[in-house]
Structures are given as C-alpha cells and as structure tokens.
Amino acid sequence: LQAQKDAERAAQLPAEKAAAEKAAAEKAAADKLAAEKAAADKLAAEMRQVNTFFTINSSVISDEEAAKLVRYIDWLKANPDVDIAIAGHADKGTGNKRINQKLSEQRAAAVKAFLMERGIAESRIVSVVANGDRVQPFAENDLNRVVISTIE
C-alpha cells in the first residue's frame, strides 16, 4: 500500500511542478506588464509639458535641449493622436519689451521648426504663441528664457 502511495505521489510531483512554474511565469508576465504600464504612464506625465531653455538673448537650441526635444519627438511619434501647443517666453530681467517679444517669437519658431524638421506634422501644432516678457512662468528670472510645449 505504501509503495502505491509513493508511486502516486511521484506521479503527481511533475504536474505540481509544472503548475507552479506556469503560475510563476504568469505572475512574472503580469509584473512585467504592470512595470511597462507604470513606465509609460510616468513618461506620458513627463511629456505633458516639455521646457526648452535658452541662453540670454538667444533662440539657438543647445545640444542638451535638443536631446530633450528628440525624446519628446519620439514620444509624439508613438502617440500620433496627441497635439501640442508651443509658448515662447523671455525674461523680464534683460532687454526691453520689443526685444523680448521678438526673442520669444524666435524661440517658439525655433522649437516648432525643430519638431517639424524631425517629422512632427504642422497640423499637430495647434498653437504657437510668443508671450515676450508679459508672462513669467518661473519665479527664477533666468528660467523664463524658455519655450514651453504642452500636449493638448
């Protein structure tokens, strides 16, 4: 009788092992999907607003800022239903209203051109505004040398 029980138990072990391995694989797959979704959600939150900063009296996109925009472009290409708005700014601490208005226009145009040159359709850019130094989105003066791109 004991030998029969031992044989039955031995026959059950591979099935139990296979079931345990299957459950572990399913859990690993579910965990991977959850992690990928969390990463995608985090990236989407980061892409809601992308700030492109400029140096004083310049509308030239630096290499560092270009890298941020390339990441944004990659995300936009993966999310073709998303439109964007572009708002150029200049700091109040330097220049004058006329100069700062022109500078914010040039900065907004530079970001728009950068996006379009790299495959973002103009139809997805729903607005481009130049706020000059009228709007100061940041408390720190130098940070207001910026173009803010937001998803719509």
Side-chain angles (χ1 to χ4, degrees), residues 9 15 22 35-36 39-40 50 63 81 90 129 132:
R9 181 70 185 135
K22 181 180 177 187
E36 288 172 355
V50 174
D63 290 345
D81 295 334
V129 297

Side-chain angles (χ1 to χ4, degrees), residues 120-142:
I120 302 304
E122 186 172 19
S123 61
R124 294 182 65 189
I125 302 170
V126 296
S127 71
V128 179
V129 297
N131 291 313
D133 60 14
R134 294 183 315 277
V135 177
Q136 299 290 278
F138 299 102
E140 184 180 328
N141 183 69
D142 293 358

Side-chain angles (χ1 to χ4, degrees), residues 21-55:
E21 288 173 352
K22 181 180 177 187
E26 289 171 352
K27 182 179 181 334
D31 290 348
K32 181 180 177 187
L33 281 174
E36 288 172 355
K37 182 179 181 337
D41 289 348
K42 181 179 181 224
L43 181 59
E46 290 173 11
M47 296 296 116
R48 289 198 70 73
Q49 176 176 313
V50 174
N51 301 325
T52 307
F53 295 100
F54 294 84
T55 58

Side-chain angles (χ1 to χ4, degrees), residues 22-103:
K22 181 180 177 187
E26 289 171 352
K27 182 179 181 334
D31 290 348
K32 181 180 177 187
L33 281 174
E36 288 172 355
K37 182 179 181 337
D41 289 348
K42 181 179 181 224
L43 181 59
E46 290 173 11
M47 296 296 116
R48 289 198 70 73
Q49 176 176 313
V50 174
N51 301 325
T52 307
F53 295 100
F54 294 84
T55 58
I56 191 169
N57 200 32
S58 175
S59 60
V60 175
I61 299 171
S62 70
D63 290 345
E64 181 179 344
E65 298 304 303
K68 287 183 353 188
L69 286 172
V70 166
R71 184 172 179 236
Y72 189 46
I73 290 165
D74 290 343
W75 185 84
L76 288 168
K77 287 179 178 177
N79 295 275
D81 295 334
V82 174
D83 292 332
I84 60 171
I86 297 172
H89 301 274
D91 68 283
K92 274 188 178 178
T94 57
N96 60 45
K97 287 197 179 299
R98 183 184 55 77
I99 290 169
N100 288 339
Q101 181 62 36
K102 181 78 169 161
L103 196 52

